[in-house]
Amino acid sequence: EVQVVESGGNLVQTGGSLRLSCATAGFAFDDYAIGWFRQAPGKEREGVSCINIRSGGTFYIDSVKGRFTISSDDAKTTVYLQMNDLKPEDTAVYSCAAGRPDRHAMCGPYAYWGQGTQVTVTS
């Protein structure tokens, strides 16, 4: 059974830090890419970061570069998103997704999605 489960969301003040976890099971972790997405109230879901497990390649959207770091623990088949210097605009439900990358892509498409974890940043 495939499992993709996020944890680590919380309420934090501006400038604070959180580490989100995406625990996975049931697929060949090394052959997949894991992406983090977020959706704020009234806004569309946006991709935040991704990591190709085999190559180690990573991607970040501009608004989180230098503040967020994605990493993987292959032994635990878990991907982390370390979020530092959090801002109110980072408030959203964060979800992770797993998928076998297309031939010429580093990440995506995604086949398996988690339920999400809430991150709230207060000013």
Side-chain angles (χ1 to χ4, degrees), residues 39-107:
Q39 187 166 20
K43 294 186 177 181
E44 293 188 355
R45 184 176 64 197
E46 67 173 344
V48 174
S49 178
C50 75
I51 183 168
N52 182 298
I53 301 302
R54 185 170 298 280
S55 71
T58 60
F59 166 82
Y60 302 91
I61 56 172
D62 287 346
S63 60
V64 308
K65 284 181 181 177
R67 300 189 297 123
F68 291 10
T69 303
I70 192 169
S71 62
S72 69
D73 183 331
D74 294 2
K76 296 182 179 179
T77 62
T78 297
V79 168
Y80 303 99
L81 187 68
Q82 177 68 41
M83 306 188 297
N84 298 328
D85 189 24
L86 282 162
K87 304 176 181 181
E89 52 264 42
D90 294 318
T91 295
V93 175
Y94 284 72
S95 301
C96 64
R100 191 186 297 269
D102 282 341
R103 181 179 180 85
H104 299 295
M106 186 176 72
C107 297

Side-chain angles (χ1 to χ4, degrees), residues 104-119:
H104 299 295
M106 186 176 72
C107 297
Y110 298 99
Y112 309 115
W113 291 80
Q115 292 299 310
T117 185
Q118 177 70 47
V119 172

